[in-house]
Amino acid sequence: MRLGLLTACLPGESLEDIARWAGSNGYAALEVAAWPDRPGRDWEASHLDVEAFGQADADRVTSILDRHGLTLSAVAYYENNLHQDREVREATHAHLRRCVDAAQLLGVRLVGTFVGRDVTLTTTENLRLAEQVLPPLVEYAAARDVRLVIENCPMEGWHPDGYPANLAYSPELWGWMADLGLWLNYDPSHLVWLGIDPVAALEAHADRILHVQAKDVEVDAAARNRYGVFGQVLDRQPWVSGWWRYRIPGLGEVDWRRLIDALHQHGYEGVVSVEHEDPVWSGDPDRVRQGLTIAHRTLAPHVHI
């Protein structure tokens, strides 16, 4: 097992600079962000230009990682593969295929994404839609010896009422995902605020976990008593529930000792990748790196045994 980080938390930094810092601060792997470079979306990280990615680019990225003692754990592109706008959906699928192509050139077998949801349809209708549109993407990846790993984030901010907009949020759906050929990029933080024991969920689905993201969550039980589990309704803001928020590992509710021990017991030998979405340790690159240092201090004693 190795400790890594998702580069998306440093969208303004170069891959070289991130790799240099990560390798010098105890990290062993990078999950590299590959969103399209789109004007006006500075929060999205484009550390791999997969639209124009060739062997020379793969050699350059591999050289950067080797130089700093790192491996590549996955290519990361977490978008809505069931988007209600057909043109947006098709563009998302096209970019995801380019991520798969880049992963093949880089020799990494994993690309991370979401299932997503068409928010104009019911959940049942979305399941049927996914069964039509996702298998061709799975097949495209498999033909290149790549597997799609799905993060179990609810993505409630995509839904106008804050309901789950990624049909991978619940362990009930993970068997359905497996039937489609999809695998898990397991993030325990989402399960905690949903009221699910992340260790129990891990143990029930360990054979589907190919990648792990390490993010924590802080729960304000008193605020939940006011808003309920679906979050604030009046003056609602996207991505703000009013009663929980994501934190750096060690600053929230996840029992990392138990969770990583469960990974060890089930023979997991992949990467535990820190996904930094902590609003306290954000705002500028130095604070983000401080947050990553806290995460390393929390996780390294359990990962490196």
Side-chain angles (χ1 to χ4, degrees):
M1 202 184 301
R2 289 159 291 147
L3 186 58
L5 64 90
L6 172 58
T7 66
C9 60
L10 291 164
E13 304 281 301
S14 70
L15 182 60
E16 176 80 52
D17 288 343
I18 295 172
R20 181 184 301 110
W21 184 88
S24 299
N25 287 271
Y27 284 95
L30 294 182
E31 180 187 359
V32 180
W35 275 262
D37 188 3
R38 294 180 282 190
R41 297 177 71 90
D42 295 341
W43 65 89
E44 291 179 335
S46 303
H47 294 126
L48 292 179
D49 181 8
V50 300
E51 294 297 332
F53 199 82
Q55 189 58 57
D57 301 292
D59 293 343
R60 179 184 60 83
V61 170
T62 300
S63 177
I64 290 172
L65 297 173
D66 288 346
R67 192 157 55 245
H68 299 291
L70 300 167
T71 61
L72 178 62
S73 68
V75 175
Y77 175 54
Y78 297 94
E79 273 294 350
N80 188 350
N81 285 293
L82 301 181
H83 198 283
Q84 60 271 19
D85 185 313
R86 185 69 64 90
E87 290 186 5
V88 172
R89 186 196 306 165
E90 290 176 355
T92 299
H93 292 180
H95 191 78
L96 182 60
R97 288 192 288 269
R98 299 295 78 78
C99 288
V100 169
D101 295 340
Q104 181 186 29
L105 286 173
L106 288 162
V108 63
R109 299 185 62 199
L110 305 178
V111 171
T113 190
F114 291 134
V115 170
R117 176 176 182 165
D118 179 338
V119 297
T120 69
L121 301 178
T122 68
T123 299
T124 299
E125 290 168 336
N126 268 277
L127 294 174
R128 302 295 83 80
L129 174 64
E131 289 161 5
Q132 295 174 26
V133 305
L134 295 185
L137 295 172
V138 171
E139 292 165 9
Y140 186 91
R144 289 151 182 81
D145 198 25
V146 173
R147 289 182 279 189
L148 301 180
V149 288
I150 306 297
E151 183 188 350
N152 55 290
C153 178
M155 294 305 291
E156 71 290 344
W158 283 347
H159 194 286
D161 293 320
Y163 302 143
N166 172 36
L167 297 184
Y169 72 95
S170 166
E172 178 187 9
L173 296 169
W174 296 348
W176 167 81
M177 284 170 42
D179 290 342
L180 296 183
L182 299 167
W183 300 77
L184 267 175
N185 187 3
Y186 183 77
D187 185 332
S189 64
H190 310 299
L191 298 169
V192 172
W193 72 262
L194 289 168
I196 299 167
D197 179 348
V199 175
L202 184 158
E203 290 177 338
H205 299 275
D207 62 333
R208 302 303 301 176
I209 298 172
L210 298 185
H211 198 269
V212 173
Q213 285 186 331
K215 186 164 73 263
D216 218 324
V217 63
E218 180 181 24
V219 171
D220 183 340
R224 183 177 57 203
N225 287 340
R226 177 183 182 188
Y227 297 124
V229 295
F230 298 113
Q232 185 175 351
V233 174
L234 302 178
D235 301 318
R236 185 180 188 89
Q237 302 176 49
W239 311 110
V240 178
S241 76
W243 67 271
W244 62 266
R245 61 179 180 172
Y246 294 125
R247 299 302 310 272
I248 281 294
L251 301 179
E253 311 291 327
V254 177
D255 186 335
W256 293 102
R257 181 188 61 81
R258 287 184 60 234
L259 189 133
I260 295 177
D261 179 59
L263 287 170
H264 281 297
Q265 290 189 49
H266 286 278
Y268 180 74
E269 295 181 347
V271 169
V272 176
S273 179
V274 175
E275 184 184 18
H276 185 335
E277 294 184 349
D278 188 324
V280 177
W281 294 102
S282 295
D284 64 70
D286 286 339
R287 285 190 67 81
V288 170
R289 286 189 284 266
Q290 285 179 289
L292 292 170
T293 299
I294 295 169
H296 185 277
R297 189 164 62 235
T298 298
L299 298 172
H302 307 299
V303 171
H304 305 305
I305 61 173

